[in-house]
Amino acid sequence: MVTKDDNELVYEVIRGDVNSFEILVERYQKIIYKMVLRMVGDVETAKDLTQDIFVKVFEKLGSFNWKYRFFSWIYRIAINETITWIRKHPHLDQLNHTEHLAADEQNPGMQERAYGMLDSGMQELSPDYRSLLVLKYYNQLSYEEMAGINNISVEKVRSRLFMARENLRKIMIKKGFPDYE
Amino acid sequence: MNDSNFIEQIYRNLDGELIEPEQAELRRYLDEHPDAALIEKQCKAIHDRLMTSKNNLSEPDLKLEIMKQVDQKKYAKPADGSNVKIVRSFWQKPAFIYGFTLVAGIFIGVFIFSLFKADFKPNLFNDNEMKGTLSGQSSPEDWTSGDILNFQGWQMKTALRTRYSKSLAELYLDNASDEMIESTIEYNPDDFELLVVVNEVLDQQSKISTSAGQVFIQSTGINKIGIKLSNKNKLQHDITLTINRSGSQVYQNRVTINKQ
């Protein structure tokens, strides 16, 4: 079976073939969900937000700009939606995080404590910096891909990522990150 | 490396971006600076934790839920594809493309026209132009077009056109040459009297001199010279044109004025 590329599927969707959107959902739901979960720190919220993101993507497909890659476009929508959600629910974001995300981890004892602390530290970062670290570490995107998603230069990605990592390091010092000892 | 950029180098090293000499330099710096080595340890600890925690999350299948929520009929459309909106950048918009094409077309048209402009220009020697320059539009003379001489040599071109009435003769000499050429118009001073010589286009290096029975022109480039003579006895006479280049005669011919 020939694998259709993203833009081809987008074209088919806006030509009326809704099944092509199903393929796009299948292709991207996991990476978007994981990114959202890392950003908001709560499984149920991440599920809801991921669904909302895909519904929004579907609604906006008609105005998809063909000069962009679908990959960058859907990421951009997902990040914007998630950051908007975080800004609307700052307290919920902080409370839910350690509880739910840490529970998902399979690392016992000391390990679990370190991961939990790191997740908690991530939540103290601004959503913009957090999103960069999520894209870099959890979604393993290259600088070029991150630049495409954020519509900025690679150099700007590099400098913002540096700031994000430095902020996180300082937060972790304050928390007494066990790996430092 | 200095105190301000070593952290940047640490992160670049963690990302695998440093080449071997840079890594060695960083290692040396860290060995010499215990504080920097501590920061490196912290950066690496966070980096490693972030790298290893990436695949430990559950992956629920949300496809069914999503497909239930999307408006399945949104893009169900007539066959003409009218609901497909193509978003173009400014440079791709039809208005810009057509506008640009129009402007470019006009520009190219004007450019091409200017290249061939000389070919559209009425010949210097037609009767009307001669009236306007030497005898005037209101000249009462009854003009007759006379002989025309044309000569084309290596990198030079000459044309002499004439017209005359009973009492007047007009000659128009058109020279184009890369090198200096000498043109001599000779007539019998008993038959003609020189009234006027007009230099319409005369190259700066060119010059005209007159003497009894002779107009002598040294010219390079493109030159247009008008000569007006009075036919003293109103009879038929010849006028001779001679062209010399580099001291050698390259052309000689004559025109007849007031042919009977």
Side-chain angles (χ1 to χ4, degrees), chain B residues 15-165:
Chain B
D15 289 342
E17 287 186 342
L18 291 191
I19 55 173
E20 215 159 282
E22 290 173 321
Q23 284 177 333
E25 192 189 355
L26 176 64
R27 188 51 47 207
R28 264 198 311 277
Y29 184 88
L30 296 176
D31 288 344
E32 290 163 11
H33 299 82
D35 291 350
L38 177 65
I39 290 174
E40 196 255 353
K41 192 183 165 199
Q42 294 168 343
C43 294
K44 189 170 183 318
I46 293 179
H47 177 84
D48 291 346
R49 282 287 171 196
L50 287 169
M51 290 295 280
T52 52
S53 69
K54 62 182 181 288
N55 287 321
N56 297 335
L57 302 177
S58 61
E59 295 175 348
D61 190 352
L62 302 169
K63 194 172 70 184
L64 283 177
E65 285 303 314
I66 292 167
M67 293 313 290
K68 262 190 233 166
Q69 289 181 54
V70 299
D71 175 8
Q72 305 263 340
K73 296 213 166 88
K74 182 172 170 65
Y75 299 109
K77 52 151 196 55
D80 64 359
S82 56
N83 67 339
V84 177
K85 183 184 168 193
I86 296 172
V87 179
R88 296 184 169 98
S89 69
F90 173 76
W91 309 107
Q92 294 170 317
K93 287 195 162 104
F96 172 77
I97 292 169
Y98 292 138
F100 180 78
T101 308
L102 179 69
V103 171
I106 291 169
F107 182 78
I108 291 166
V110 168
F111 177 69
I112 291 171
F113 180 76
S114 69
L115 286 180
F116 294 100
K117 198 174 152 194
D119 292 343
F120 293 111
K121 191 174 178 182
N123 193 296
L124 190 63
F125 298 103
N126 70 31
D127 290 350
N128 287 338
E129 190 165 346
M130 289 180 80
K131 266 182 190 168
T133 51
L134 292 180
S135 300
Q137 295 288 351
S138 57
S139 170
E141 297 291 333
D142 183 16
W143 293 100
T144 303
S145 294
D147 294 334
I148 298 170
L149 301 178
N150 279 303
F151 171 68
Q152 189 165 354
W154 186 71
Q155 291 191 333
M156 68 160 290
K157 214 173 177 180
T158 289
L160 179 69
R161 292 199 179 198
T162 60
R163 69 172 186 169
Y164 52 83
S165 65

Side-chain angles (χ1 to χ4, degrees), chain B residues 216-239:
Chain B
F216 181 69
I217 302 135
Q218 284 181 299
S219 62
T220 57
I222 295 171
N223 296 276
K224 296 176 188 296
I225 299 115
I227 300 164
K228 190 173 184 180
L229 301 165
S230 166
N231 189 340
K232 289 179 180 174
N233 49 24
K234 301 180 182 174
L235 297 175
Q236 178 177 311
H237 303 293
D238 288 344
I239 297 175

Side-chain angles (χ1 to χ4, degrees), chain A residues 87-116:
Chain A
R87 286 185 178 142
K88 279 184 188 166
H89 307 85
H91 303 300
L92 197 57
D93 174 45
Q94 292 287 328
L95 286 174
N96 284 342
H97 187 266
T98 42
E99 188 183 332
H100 292 282
L101 192 56
D104 257 16
E105 305 287 355
Q106 302 299 310
N107 306 291
M110 187 72 168
Q111 295 277 351
E112 191 178 325
R113 190 176 153 235
Y115 282 118

